[in-house]
Amino acid sequence: RRAACVRVCVYMLLAAAIPLGLSLSPPATSASALSTRDACLLFGALAEPLVHLDPEVGACCHSACSDCEWRLPDGGYRFDVLKATKPKWVPCYLRRDFGDERGCHEPRWASALFPGGGEVTRAQFGEALAGLGFEMPMGPRGSVGADGGMPESAADALWAWLAGDGDALTPEGARTRLQAMAEDPQAEGAVGEGPDHLVWKEFAKALGAKPFEMIV
């Protein structure tokens, strides 16, 4: 009897929702679908083979030693700097200065898209994005050549994610929206400023692309 009452209540709620024009379908994502190829062109323009993480971490051989003083309770490790042989990460910070021999890192996207450190218009953004160049990054399957430059549709998709319907975009706004692409947007990151970087899968999925699709 109790189950029957529950079903009746559900039916009544559904019946009440329809005349009010309420949608019973899942909310739409904030990014329209982008081809995997175009997402790769964007990622290859923004990604780098270097990210700065925790300046408090001292000298480390990065060999995953079991007795490393920077080992975390869950088995992971704290790192100061991560390096790769090809572009692998989109840094989600504007600048990190370690104040020692490890130096200061300002992501390419931050310096190129916001050369004066202030807000930019859509036109300025598109011009700067096209000038970033492209290098095939780690993550996407297949290979892409950038002979044709950055498609306007790809630039539109990235602007829509970063700025929405806005006419201008600030560096801080871009960083916040890049961090929103992360698998765990609420993560504190190495220094408590939110996610430190993005990998291909996160970036592609946020823009509606298929990260595991072969690019031909």
Side-chain angles (χ1 to χ4, degrees):
R1 172 179 287 182
R2 184 176 180 180
C5 291
V6 170
R7 286 196 295 271
V8 170
C9 290
V10 171
Y11 295 150
M12 292 177 65
L13 288 172
L14 292 174
I18 294 174
L20 293 174
L22 301 179
S23 174
L24 302 179
S25 59
T29 58
S30 56
S32 56
L34 185 69
S35 73
T36 304
R37 182 183 186 280
D38 284 358
C40 178
L41 288 173
L42 287 171
F43 190 72
L46 303 178
E48 302 190 39
L50 171 77
V51 286
H52 275 43
L53 299 177
D54 189 346
E56 299 301 320
V57 173
C60 177
C61 67
H62 291 198
S63 297
C65 302
S66 59
D67 59 346
C68 179
E69 63 179 303
W70 310 116
R71 186 170 180 135
L72 299 171
D74 64 0
Y77 294 85
R78 292 170 61 194
F79 291 107
D80 55 349
V81 178
L82 290 179
K83 297 180 180 180
T85 57
K86 297 172 62 178
K88 182 178 180 180
W89 306 281
V90 175
C92 293
Y93 51 83
L94 301 178
R95 187 172 183 268
R96 283 195 180 166
D97 188 355
F98 279 14
D100 55 26
E101 69 278 1
R102 293 170 296 181
C104 174
H105 182 226
E106 183 177 4
R108 292 176 63 242
W109 68 262
S111 58
L113 300 181
F114 305 94
E119 68 177 29
V120 296
T121 64
R122 170 64 183 85
Q124 292 170 325
F125 175 86
E127 183 177 349
L129 181 64
L132 267 175
F134 171 82
E135 182 178 352
M136 188 64 197
M138 295 179 67
R141 301 180 61 198
S143 183
V144 173
D147 298 338
M150 183 66 67
E152 193 65 21
S153 58
D156 285 341
L158 183 59
W159 177 267
W161 176 272
L162 297 177
D165 296 328
D167 297 323
L169 178 65
T170 65
E172 294 78 13
R175 177 194 60 198
T176 298
R177 289 297 293 156
L178 285 174
Q179 289 179 324
M181 289 180 165
E183 194 167 80
D184 181 6
Q186 304 305 317
E188 292 186 358
V191 294
E193 297 177 350
D196 300 296
H197 55 75
L198 300 170
V199 294
W200 162 246
K201 178 182 175 181
E202 296 169 312
F203 185 84
K205 288 181 68 176
L207 293 178
K210 300 175 181 178
F212 304 115
E213 181 178 71
M214 178 65 73
I215 301 171
V216 295

